[in-house]
Amino acid sequence: RKGEGDDARFAAVADTLGMIGLDDARVVVAQQREALEAIADGAVPADEAALLDIAGALLYIDDTLDAQAAQLGDAAAADGALAAEAQRSRAAAIGEAIAAFAEAREALVVFVDRQWDRTALLAVPGLLIEIAGALAILDQLQAAACLDGVRLYVDRELLAGSQVPEAGRLDAFADAVASLESFLQGMGEQRPDRDRFLDVARSRLQALGYWPLPG
């Protein structure tokens, strides 16, 4: 005769199936619970046909659970693939920003080496806008704002200015540029201390009058 523990286990299985949304399977379990009770009480003979029906129903439950597990596994794999793709896109954006910044820095070096040849800087504002846009997309808004400060300095002091800034101001500008490049490299390497480079960049831009950003 079926014991109370068996009955409780069937009830628990049915409840669990209902909680995970497998209502059809829950109904089948409830039906087999009733069938077993009828056999145990003698209301239905324990013949081969009845037992085969119960066994078939339990196999159906097993197959349903296997299918559910496979579906959950596929969903987890899809989520993992999306996360991996997002990580690859982020790494690509950072790599492009680093490359563009290196190009802008090289133009600044040429500007100095050629005795303040302003034509060397013509592409720099566009490069800095591109980098700032990438940083904004990556939710690095403070870094993007610092890039805007550097760009404004290039526009107003180096391209539009009639005189070359004094050495102290150029040194502060160079520090800001180097700090932002270190910040970008820190993003690429996922370094947790990279924000300290932003602190340096902001302090140098503040000394130059370009932080907070001028109107």
Side-chain angles (χ1 to χ4, degrees):
R1 182 179 178 85
K2 177 177 66 66
E4 293 182 358
D6 297 320
D7 188 70
R9 281 192 288 273
F10 267 87
V13 170
D15 290 343
T16 300
L17 291 170
M19 284 189 291
I20 63 176
L22 299 177
D23 288 332
D24 289 344
R26 180 187 61 79
V27 171
V28 170
V29 169
Q31 290 171 343
Q32 300 318 305
R33 176 188 174 191
E34 293 174 358
L36 282 173
E37 285 179 346
I39 292 173
D41 293 339
V44 174
D47 57 21
E48 183 178 357
L51 294 175
L52 284 175
D53 284 344
I54 294 172
L58 294 177
L59 285 174
Y60 163 75
I61 300 300
D62 188 52
D63 290 343
T64 300
L65 291 174
D66 285 344
Q68 180 75 358
Q71 185 177 359
L72 292 173
D74 290 343
D79 289 343
L82 287 173
E85 180 60 31
Q87 185 61 32
R88 284 193 293 271
S89 298
R90 177 181 175 84
I94 294 171
E96 290 172 5
I98 291 173
F101 200 96
E103 187 177 346
R105 175 175 46 75
E106 181 60 26
L108 291 166
V109 171
V110 172
F111 166 69
V112 175
D113 288 346
R114 292 182 182 174
Q115 298 298 308
W116 326 118
D117 179 6
R118 289 181 170 84
T119 60
L121 299 178
L122 295 179
V124 171
L127 288 169
L128 296 176
I129 289 174
E130 176 185 336
I131 300 164
L135 287 170
I137 291 172
L138 293 169
D139 203 27
Q140 298 293 325
L141 301 183
Q142 283 287 305
C146 286
L147 260 296
D148 285 337
V150 169
R151 177 180 56 81
L152 287 173
Y153 185 88
V154 171
D155 275 337
R156 299 180 182 182
E157 308 292 338
L158 302 184
L159 281 172
S162 58
Q163 295 181 342
V164 176
E166 62 184 29
R169 289 179 65 79
L170 284 176
D171 286 343
F173 176 71
D175 284 348
V177 170
S179 298
L180 286 170
E181 186 169 28
S182 295
F183 173 80
L184 285 171
Q185 291 170 346
M187 284 186 64
E189 298 167 3
Q190 299 185 12
R191 291 171 53 184
D193 64 340
R194 61 182 179 266
D195 284 349
R196 64 190 176 91
F197 296 114
L198 282 185
D199 294 336
V200 175
R202 281 192 293 262
S203 69
R204 300 300 184 270
L205 288 171
Q206 185 176 20
L208 293 169
Y210 284 85
W211 189 269
L213 292 176

